[in-house]
Amino acid sequence: MKTKFDQLINAQKRKLDMCEMQIVRHNNEIAALQSQISALIDQISKMQIPKGGSFDVFLQANARKRVLVSDIDSHQARISAHKAEISKLEALYRTLYLEYEKLKHIQEKERENIIKAFKKRESKELDEIAILLHKKERA
């Protein structure tokens, strides 16, 4: 049974779905960044510091290590930004979900009122038919 709230509920459901998709997207980004961090940590652990040779070779290895650490730090900063965005989206999701549930509740009440009015009208019509049949039997 359709009510005037169907379109509102559908629009609210779409908002919920979009919010949920954004949360999933951010979680996927976090997982990808964590995977990249793990790969960078593996690279750092496999690096060997030169034990001999010129000082320039040592400086290059040390610079490479600092670049990898810097990359890890930037990835961790991006993860923090994604987590902050997820927190905002989760708060928005809770708000949207409450509105969605309110609309569903209002729609259910509207349906109950429609059914109640229909039954009342049906009862009146049946009473009228019974009265007409009773009058017809007397005549």
Side-chain angles (χ1 to χ4, degrees):
M1 172 180 329
K2 293 206 177 226
T3 65
K4 57 187 172 185
F5 297 102
D6 287 343
Q7 290 180 343
L8 289 173
I9 289 175
N10 289 338
Q12 194 69 16
K13 181 68 173 150
R14 282 193 298 274
K15 287 180 188 177
L16 275 172
D17 290 344
M18 288 177 63
C19 188
E20 192 173 342
M21 286 186 339
Q22 288 178 343
I23 290 171
V24 168
R25 184 177 55 84
H26 283 289
N27 280 327
N28 289 341
E29 288 281 332
I30 288 172
L33 288 169
Q34 287 174 336
S35 171
Q36 291 173 3
I37 288 173
S38 294
L40 291 171
I41 289 172
D42 285 345
Q43 282 182 350
I44 290 173
S45 68
K46 290 178 182 175
M47 285 183 74
Q48 294 184 4
I49 298 174
K51 298 195 185 338
S54 70
F55 190 66
D56 288 339
V57 174
F58 173 77
L59 289 177
Q60 287 176 349
N62 197 24
R64 176 71 181 137
K65 187 176 181 180
R66 279 187 299 200
V67 167
L68 292 174
V69 169
S70 174
D71 287 347
I72 289 172
D73 290 341
S74 69
H75 286 352
Q76 287 175 337
R78 288 173 56 196
I79 286 173
S80 295
H82 283 296
K83 286 182 178 180
E85 187 64 27
I86 287 173
S87 294
K88 290 178 188 176
L89 287 170
E90 285 174 342
L92 175 64
Y93 185 85
R94 283 190 291 276
T95 303
L96 290 173
Y97 187 76
L98 284 174
E99 291 175 17
Y100 176 72
E101 286 297 320
K102 286 177 188 176
L103 286 171
K104 280 178 59 176
H105 180 72
I106 291 170
Q107 181 186 38
E108 189 59 35
K109 290 292 183 186
E110 180 73 17
R111 284 183 178 163
E112 288 173 8
N113 289 339
I114 290 171
I115 290 171
K116 197 180 290 184
F118 178 75
K119 286 182 178 181
K120 188 175 181 180
R121 189 176 72 233
E122 184 181 38
S123 176
K124 282 183 182 180
E125 288 174 359
L126 287 174
D127 288 346
E128 288 177 17
I129 291 171
I131 290 171
L132 289 174
L133 288 175
H134 183 67
K135 284 183 182 180
K136 186 175 182 182
E137 286 178 3
R138 284 189 159 193

